[in-house]
Amino acid sequence: MLGGVQLGILAACIVLFVPMGMAGWHLSRNKMLFFSGALFITLAIGVHLTPYIPSVSDFVTTVSSVVVFDSRASCVSQLHEVVWDVKQSDGFNPLSNNSVNYEKSWKWGRSASVIACDFQKLAPTDVADLLNGSWVVIAGDSQARLMALSLLDLTLDSQRMEAVRGDLFKRHSNYQILISETGMKLDFIWAPYASNLTDLMGEFKQNRSYPDVIIMGSGLWHMLHFTNASDFGFSLESLRSSVVSLIPLTPELGSEGPLTGSVSIRTPHLFWIGMPTLINSMLNTEEKRKKMTDTMRAAYDAALGDSKLLRSSGGPLLLLDIETLSWNCGVRCTVDGMHYDGVVYEAAIHIMLNALLIESHQKL
């Protein structure tokens, strides 16, 4: 193609300048005739070169797609620009510093870039529309359980939530619910270690059945019971390999031969639940205070980054940054220095939902 363009340009120069040079002296006395001839030749050259030059519409389409992509990527990076308002409640008790003494609320910041993204706190009807017919899996430890609770709180009425809360918080157990009104299925999987999550990804692949949305996280249990950041990093690398094996999902030949039956070719939307800010002095056991230090927490964060599990380091999962959300909400948003008030996980769920809107090119 490059050779064709060069030959076309050379031909154009010959066709344009040689005749014009030869005729220039004779036509110099009649400028109108000279420029008319030049225009005719130029138009002829334009027709000749058209096949070698991309159309204006194609160029505009290409530029437009790049701008849209950049806008989407920029908005995803702005999702955690959240501002908190924590103030004393009406029934404030000065003798108690319990989190129930404070009212908490949040909203997205008002910088020009955040405003341009038009993030929304989704109403229950919006959530129902967005997740209609979807299969959502939330897997991990108690942080994941709180995420599941916040998502259900956006989709169920208060009466049904009371019943759900008791079942969801049965100690170290799985939970499943199908919301008949929207067809949304939610599975909470108790999987406190990264190795549990790796096994879960293997089950999806083996069963050839893939959720639409996977939200998962790990780290707190490993920090408490193993206290070994290097080992945690190795387990995250294994998890990354298992997750990457799901992407993309295509009905092609696999290691076990042709895939049979119905196979989803949609790539799941993948999210990672970051560990919360740990307030060591508030942790409720001596073992936790001894093992879950700021130094150890930093080592676990470094292991997560080095594993390349997150998109920020080239991986497949988008971080739901519970650490930043909990840090900014502050000490008045937790009673045990590890588990935070529901408003923190509510903010994370809205961030996740807005990410889904961005990445699925939807607008409510």
Side-chain angles (χ1 to χ4, degrees):
M1 180 62 72
L2 182 58
V5 173
Q6 290 171 335
L7 288 174
I9 293 173
L10 178 61
C13 291
I14 293 172
V15 172
L16 178 61
F17 294 113
V18 171
M20 287 181 65
M22 294 174 63
W25 185 81
H26 297 286
L27 296 177
S28 60
R29 295 181 180 181
N30 191 333
K31 294 183 179 179
M32 182 63 71
L33 180 61
F34 176 82
F35 287 112
S36 296
L39 178 61
F40 175 79
I41 295 172
T42 302
L43 290 174
I45 294 169
V47 172
H48 177 71
L49 290 179
T50 295
Y52 303 101
I53 302 175
S55 69
V56 173
S57 61
D58 289 343
F59 176 76
V60 170
T61 300
T62 301
V63 172
S64 177
S65 64
V66 171
V67 170
V68 169
F69 177 80
D70 287 345
S71 176
R72 288 173 53 211
S74 175
C75 285
V76 169
S77 70
Q78 300 283 335
L79 279 167
H80 288 86
E81 295 296 321
V82 167
V83 177
W84 290 92
D85 181 22
V86 180
K87 58 186 179 182
Q88 294 178 359
S89 62
D90 292 338
F92 178 77
N93 180 0
L95 299 179
S96 172
N97 198 34
N98 195 292
S99 68
V100 297
N101 276 324
Y102 299 90
E103 296 177 357
K104 305 100 180 175
S105 62
W106 66 275
K107 61 183 179 182
W108 274 286
R110 302 301 295 169
S111 67
S113 57
V114 172
I115 293 173
C117 292
D118 193 26
F119 298 137
Q120 306 171 56
K121 284 190 179 183
L122 275 64
T125 53
D126 296 329
V127 178
D129 289 341
L130 179 60
L131 298 178
N132 183 36
S134 297
W135 177 20
V136 180
V137 170
I138 303 179
D141 52 23
S142 55
Q143 299 294 310
R145 197 187 299 271
L146 290 167
M147 291 287 288
L149 181 68
S150 290
L151 179 56
L152 289 174
D153 201 32
L154 276 174
T155 56
L156 299 175
D157 59 47
S158 57
Q159 184 175 357
R160 293 175 70 184
M161 274 305 298
E162 285 303 315
V164 165
R165 193 181 299 270
D167 292 334
L168 182 60
F169 278 86
K170 288 180 179 177
R171 186 172 176 82
H172 303 168
S173 61
N174 299 339
Y175 176 78
Q176 182 181 90
I177 185 171
L178 175 63
I179 301 175
S180 57
E181 295 88 343
T182 63
M184 185 191 88
K185 175 185 175 184
L186 183 142
D187 283 320
F188 168 74
I189 308 295
W190 174 252
Y193 297 111
S195 58
N196 301 140
L197 297 173
T198 302
D199 293 341
L200 180 62
M201 299 303 108
E203 290 177 19
F204 292 146
K205 188 171 183 178
Q206 182 178 3
N207 296 333
R208 296 166 185 167
S209 180
Y210 305 94
D212 299 289
V213 181
I214 304 176
I215 307 168
M216 56 182 159
S218 175
L220 292 177
W221 270 57
H222 194 282
M223 190 186 301
L224 178 62
H225 297 292
F226 290 91
T227 324
N228 187 324
S230 296
D231 182 71
F232 180 61
F234 290 136
S235 66
L236 291 180
E237 291 173 7
S238 297
L239 174 59
R240 183 188 188 278
S241 298
S242 184
V243 172
V244 168
S245 72
L246 304 181
I247 309 169
L249 310 175
T250 55
E252 299 174 349
L253 290 176
S255 59
E256 301 176 0
L259 301 181
T260 58
S262 176
V263 179
S264 170
I265 61 172
R266 292 179 299 175
T267 300
H269 295 278
L270 302 165
F271 298 91
W272 180 259
I273 307 168
M275 288 190 292
T277 297
L278 298 175
I279 304 175
N280 188 268
S281 62
M282 296 181 69
L283 298 177
N284 55 18
T285 70
E286 181 61 30
E287 183 183 18
K288 290 178 182 177
R289 291 189 291 271
K290 181 179 179 180
K291 294 181 176 180
M292 306 177 85
T293 62
D294 292 343
T295 301
M296 186 57 62
R297 168 57 195 265
Y300 270 65
D301 282 345
L304 175 60
D306 293 342
S307 71
K308 301 189 185 305
L309 183 66
L310 303 181
R311 284 196 202 172
S312 58
S313 55
L317 279 78
L318 181 64
L319 175 66
L320 300 174
D321 193 353
I322 304 298
E323 179 179 13
T324 296
L325 294 172
S326 57
W327 172 267
N328 290 332
C329 193
V331 66
R332 293 169 178 173
C333 295
T334 178
V335 295
D336 65 0
M338 179 186 299
H339 303 96
Y340 283 75
D341 293 346
V343 67
V344 171
Y345 305 97
E346 172 198 297
I349 287 294
H350 278 285
I351 289 170
M352 182 273 296
L353 293 171
N354 275 265
L356 288 179
L357 284 173
I358 295 169
E359 298 189 343
S360 58
H361 306 279
Q362 296 186 59
K363 190 82 171 177
L364 295 176

